[in-house]
């Protein structure tokens, strides 16, 4: 079924304060991340992946960091993208946040 009903889907507990729900096709993945436990005093560790990524901040405030770029504070309604292989991180600035990430190709490591 190509439908993901938020309230009817059990989230995956990725780490402390991070829950994830996924929907995907053969070449595109959307991940809804619910973050809690903020505001944080430090950003998450930088990471990179071969996937292109775009993100919509559906709720909350974060600091977005990407190698070679000036950190940017983002809030509900803002978007960002990450090119393939580019190190990046976020820092939760509000108590909670919801990010809607899209990846191409799909993140096999999330399945």
């Amino acid at each position: 079924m190509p439908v993901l009903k938020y309230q009817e889907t059990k989230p995956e507990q990725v780490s402390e304060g991070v829950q994830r729900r996924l929907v995907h096709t053969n070449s595109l993945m959307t991940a809804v991340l619910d973050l809690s436990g903020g505001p944080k005093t430090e950003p998450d560790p930088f990471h990179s992946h071969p996937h292109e990524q775009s993100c919509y901040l559906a709720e909350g405030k974060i600091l977005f960091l990407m190698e070679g770029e000036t950190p940017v504070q983002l809030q509900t309604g803002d978007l960002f993208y990450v090119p393939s292989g580019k190190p990046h991180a976020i820092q939760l600035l509000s108590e909670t946040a919801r990010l809607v990430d899209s990846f191409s190709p799909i993140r096999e490591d999330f399945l």
Side-chain angles (χ1 to χ4, degrees), residues 32-87:
V32 178
L33 298 174
D34 287 307
L35 310 178
S36 61
K40 303 281 186 171
T41 58
E42 297 288 328
D44 294 337
F46 275 79
H47 69 281
S48 65
H49 41 76
H51 315 84
E52 293 181 312
Q53 175 183 357
S54 65
C55 181
Y56 171 70
L57 185 55
E59 177 184 309
K61 291 183 181 179
I62 63 167
L63 183 66
F64 173 63
L65 305 101
M66 189 160 56
E67 183 180 79
E69 304 289 337
T70 302
V72 179
Q73 187 170 325
L74 302 173
Q75 62 186 10
T76 302
D78 291 338
L79 297 108
F80 64 86
Y81 73 90
V82 181
S84 174
K86 189 78 167 181

Side-chain angles (χ1 to χ4, degrees), residues 10-22 29-36 40 44-45 47 90 97 99 101 103 107 109-111:
K10 183 177 178 175
E12 174 189 1
Q13 191 72 40
V14 177
S15 61
E16 185 177 340
V18 181
Q19 292 185 335
R20 177 172 60 206
R21 290 171 170 85
L22 299 173
M29 173 177 279
T30 299
V32 178
L33 298 174
D34 287 307
L35 310 178
S36 61
K40 303 281 186 171
D44 294 337
H47 69 281
I90 64 166
L99 283 69
D101 287 329
F103 297 98
R107 297 281 308 255
D109 57 318
F110 283 6
L111 300 178

